[in-house]
């Protein structure tokens, strides 16, 4: 928990898909009493909205004008229940639906649309205006909070990330094969890195964490130590 003497800061955790950044960001927020925001869940919620409203056809073609027109009526929030956090789309708990492979396959093209990004970045900046926040995503340290006091960029090999994601999905009762997930991870990395609007890249002042060979407790400890170092130097 933060003490009166510890300054509140903004923590940006970016990185490749399925690199484990969400779990480590959530755990750090819990350890230090900060709010945690999963920005990827917001892109997933917009994608689910577009799918439900017939804005994505089978070949994944997106009705971009219709989606842009609908953006003001898309409200995203989070509810916290003990240790678990759920994503709310216009008040409905969509946490399970946004993790489906259907959404995973459509989310990165949706996240290339500048108007979608502008709307979500504005919401994210509002969530973080009081500081005391850990946010994870792709552009948090570069675009959403370029002045964040602590920035981390997480990576691991595509095979490691795919294996972890399959275990996570299967653990939640969502069926997914290793081959399907690996292909999705590689495709999303490519779209995220090459899009024009705030592409996935490491901020110059972000610390790099390759957690390919780290256990969950090792990476959590690494992050907590970095937080202590950063806040003790302020
Ligand atoms: O599920 P995973 O951790 O791999 O990804 P996520 O954090 O749920 O994000 C899903 C997708 O949203 C990413 O592949 C990106 O295309 C997009 N995204 C983004 O463009 N910018 C962010 N700040 C967060 C996610």
């Amino acid at each position: 928990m933060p003490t009166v003497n510890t300054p509140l800061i903004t923590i940006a955790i970016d990185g490749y898909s399925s690199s484990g950044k969400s779990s480590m960001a959530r755990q750090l927020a819990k350890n230090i009493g900060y709010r945690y925001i999963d920005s990827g869940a917001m892109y997933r919620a917009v994608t689910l909205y577009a799918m439900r409203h017939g804005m994505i056809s089978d070949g994944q073609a997106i009705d971009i004008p219709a989606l842009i027109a609908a953006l003001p009526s898309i409200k995203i929030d989070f509810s916290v229940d003990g240790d678990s956090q759920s994503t709310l789309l216009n008040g409905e708990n969509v946490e399970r639906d946004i993790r489906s492979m259907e959404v995973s396959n459509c989310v990165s093209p949706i996240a290339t649309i500048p108007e979608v990004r502008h709307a979500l970045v504005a919401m994210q900046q509002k969530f973080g205006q009081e500081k005391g926040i850990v946010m994870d995503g792709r552009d948090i340290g570069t675009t959403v909070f370029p002045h964040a006091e602590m920035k981390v960029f997480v990576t691991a090999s595509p095979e490691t990330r795919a294996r972890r994601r399959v275990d996570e999905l299967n653990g939640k009762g969502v069926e997914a094969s290793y081959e399907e997930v690996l292909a999705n991870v590689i495709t999303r990395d490519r779209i995220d890195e090459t899009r024009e609007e705030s592409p996935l890249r490491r901020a110059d002042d972000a610390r790099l964490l390759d957690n390919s060979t780290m256990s969950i407790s090792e990476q959590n400890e690494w992050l907590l130590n970095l937080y202590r170092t950063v806040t003790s130097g302020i």
Side-chain angles (χ1 to χ4, degrees), residues 42-64:
M42 301 172 75
Y43 288 92
R44 287 173 177 273
V46 170
T47 305
L48 182 68
Y49 182 98
M51 287 167 68
R52 283 180 172 177
H53 289 79
M55 296 172 188
I56 305 180
S57 51
D58 277 353
Q60 290 190 24
I62 305 164
D63 185 344
I64 296 178

Side-chain angles (χ1 to χ4, degrees), residues 112-162:
T112 63
I113 303 169
E115 289 82 354
V116 168
R117 303 204 69 82
H118 297 163
L120 293 189
V121 167
M123 281 187 218
Q124 290 152 9
Q125 288 172 335
K126 222 166 164 189
F127 281 129
Q129 64 192 3
E130 309 288 332
K131 297 201 173 210
I133 192 166
V134 183
M135 191 175 291
D136 81 304
R138 304 290 190 284
D139 60 341
I140 311 305
T142 52
T143 303
V144 182
F145 300 124
H147 303 297
E149 292 85 349
M150 173 169 156
K151 297 182 186 177
V152 176
F153 191 86
V154 194
T155 189
S157 71
E159 291 75 17
T160 306
R161 292 187 277 126

Side-chain angles (χ1 to χ4, degrees), residues 13-22 36 38-44 47 98-99 103-104 106-112 117 120-121 124 135-140 144 161 165 168 184-185 187-189 191-192 195 197-200:
I13 303 189
D14 289 303
Y16 287 94
S17 66
S18 315
S19 56
K21 56 189 185 317
S22 297
Y36 163 64
D38 174 355
S39 71
M42 301 172 75
Y43 288 92
R44 287 173 177 273
T47 305
I98 61 169
R99 306 295 164 189
V103 170
S104 294
C106 295
V107 62
S108 288
I110 292 278
T112 63
R117 303 204 69 82
L120 293 189
V121 167
Q124 290 152 9
M135 191 175 291
D136 81 304
R138 304 290 190 284
D139 60 341
I140 311 305
V144 182
R161 292 187 277 126
R165 178 53 55 98
E168 183 192 342
N184 176 256
V185 160
T187 305
R188 279 199 290 141
D189 287 352
I191 300 176
D192 293 347
R195 70 173 173 237
E197 183 84 17
S198 49
L200 168 66

Side-chain angles (χ1 to χ4, degrees), residues 21-232:
K21 56 189 185 317
S22 297
S23 338
M24 64 194 275
R26 189 180 303 112
Q27 187 58 44
L28 176 67
K30 189 179 169 209
N31 287 343
I32 63 177
Y34 274 27
R35 181 161 197 202
Y36 163 64
I37 297 288
D38 174 355
S39 71
M42 301 172 75
Y43 288 92
R44 287 173 177 273
V46 170
T47 305
L48 182 68
Y49 182 98
M51 287 167 68
R52 283 180 172 177
H53 289 79
M55 296 172 188
I56 305 180
S57 51
D58 277 353
Q60 290 190 24
I62 305 164
D63 185 344
I64 296 178
L67 179 56
I68 293 172
L71 284 174
S73 50
I74 302 180
K75 304 277 175 268
I76 300 167
D77 212 338
F78 296 93
S79 69
V80 182
D81 180 13
D83 265 1
S84 76
Q85 179 162 309
S86 297
T87 309
L88 306 179
L89 171 60
N90 291 333
E92 178 195 345
N93 185 338
V94 292
E95 186 55 36
R96 197 184 154 84
D97 291 0
I98 61 169
R99 306 295 164 189
S100 70
M101 282 311 289
E102 287 81 5
V103 170
S104 294
N105 285 331
C106 295
V107 62
S108 288
I110 292 278
T112 63
I113 303 169
E115 289 82 354
V116 168
R117 303 204 69 82
H118 297 163
L120 293 189
V121 167
M123 281 187 218
Q124 290 152 9
Q125 288 172 335
K126 222 166 164 189
F127 281 129
Q129 64 192 3
E130 309 288 332
K131 297 201 173 210
I133 192 166
V134 183
M135 191 175 291
D136 81 304
R138 304 290 190 284
D139 60 341
I140 311 305
T142 52
T143 303
V144 182
F145 300 124
H147 303 297
E149 292 85 349
M150 173 169 156
K151 297 182 186 177
V152 176
F153 191 86
V154 194
T155 189
S157 71
E159 291 75 17
T160 306
R161 292 187 277 126
R163 174 59 51 213
R164 287 180 187 155
R165 178 53 55 98
V166 171
D167 291 347
E168 183 192 342
L169 288 171
N170 292 348
K172 286 181 183 166
V174 179
E175 263 193 50
S177 72
Y178 172 75
E179 289 72 22
E180 176 187 24
V181 171
L182 179 62
N184 176 256
V185 160
I186 292 171
T187 305
R188 279 199 290 141
D189 287 352
R190 185 178 45 74
I191 300 176
D192 293 347
E193 282 180 314
T194 56
R195 70 173 173 237
E196 285 213 0
E197 183 84 17
S198 49
L200 168 66
R201 71 167 182 83
R202 176 186 172 188
D204 295 336
D205 51 351
R207 294 283 301 265
L208 183 68
L209 174 66
D210 183 335
N211 64 8
S212 300
T213 59
M214 273 179 156
S215 68
I216 290 176
S217 61
E218 279 169 345
Q219 70 176 23
N220 288 341
E221 203 173 296
W222 183 94
L223 204 57
L224 194 56
N225 281 335
L226 180 63
Y227 163 78
R228 291 195 181 115
T229 308
V230 169
T231 48
S232 68

